[in-house]
Amino acid sequence: MVLELSVYGGLFFTAFLAATFFPAQSEILLVTLLLAGGYPPWALVFVASVGNTMGAMLNWLIGFRFMHLMNTKWFGQETKSLQKAQHWYHRYGRWSLLMSWAPIVGDPLTLVAGILKEPARPVLAIVLFAKTARYIIVTVLTLQGGAYAGSIG
């Protein structure tokens, strides 16, 4: 029981961090757990999706306060990924959040949504959909690949 909680907690925490500006790769842990077996794939997808979405919502919340933070010395200059995200957001609006799963531009998109004062509910709904879809695709590909590899040996 304690081991299960630590596995799910570790996946949640890794997925949460992966959605922020901290370097983390939740997909690697998810694939490892899927290949190890012993955990229902739907539960792993659920935990990873919720953790990753909550991390994205933290970005949104920080973005909501972005202008205030811009004046602090520790915040620094705009990054290229943030500029790219702003371009995407101005071009496609809230639907650009469907790319919130993507490396490099995904995390800044959720920050930009907060900066532009996008309401939390549509951000949450779109981001949850995008991130869950990504984890489902990773899970299906992993399980199909694992089944294929098992039939070879």
Side-chain angles (χ1 to χ4, degrees):
M1 178 71 165
V2 173
L3 178 60
E4 272 190 33
L5 288 176
S6 64
V7 166
Y8 290 122
L11 179 59
F12 177 90
F13 184 70
T14 303
F16 182 91
L17 281 181
T20 67
F21 291 97
F22 291 102
Q25 292 296 320
S26 58
E27 295 86 355
I28 293 171
L29 181 55
L30 175 63
V31 167
T32 301
L33 292 171
L34 288 165
L35 293 176
Y39 303 99
W42 67 266
L44 296 173
V45 168
F46 176 80
V47 169
S49 298
V50 170
N52 208 238
T53 300
M54 288 181 69
M57 292 309 291
L58 175 63
N59 291 344
W60 174 85
L61 184 60
I62 291 169
F64 221 76
R65 304 285 183 201
F66 186 82
M67 293 304 165
H68 171 71
L69 296 174
M70 279 288 285
N71 298 325
T72 61
K73 289 182 183 181
W74 59 267
F75 194 77
Q77 302 290 330
E78 286 187 31
T79 64
K80 288 188 181 205
S81 59
L82 182 57
Q83 290 170 346
K84 192 174 188 176
Q86 286 174 323
H87 170 75
W88 274 58
Y89 210 89
H90 285 297
R91 187 168 182 187
Y92 300 107
R94 72 172 53 149
W95 297 110
S96 63
L97 291 169
L98 287 171
M99 293 299 295
S100 63
W101 66 269
I104 301 171
V105 74
D107 301 336
L109 275 172
T110 56
L111 183 70
V112 168
I115 293 168
L116 297 176
K117 306 299 187 217
E118 187 72 47
R121 285 184 185 186
V123 172
L124 177 62
I126 295 168
V127 169
L128 180 62
F129 173 80
K131 291 179 178 286
T132 302
R134 179 209 35 217
Y135 286 122
I136 289 171
I137 290 168
V138 168
T139 298
V140 168
L141 291 175
T142 300
L143 295 177
Q144 284 182 344
Y148 177 74
S151 68
I152 294 174

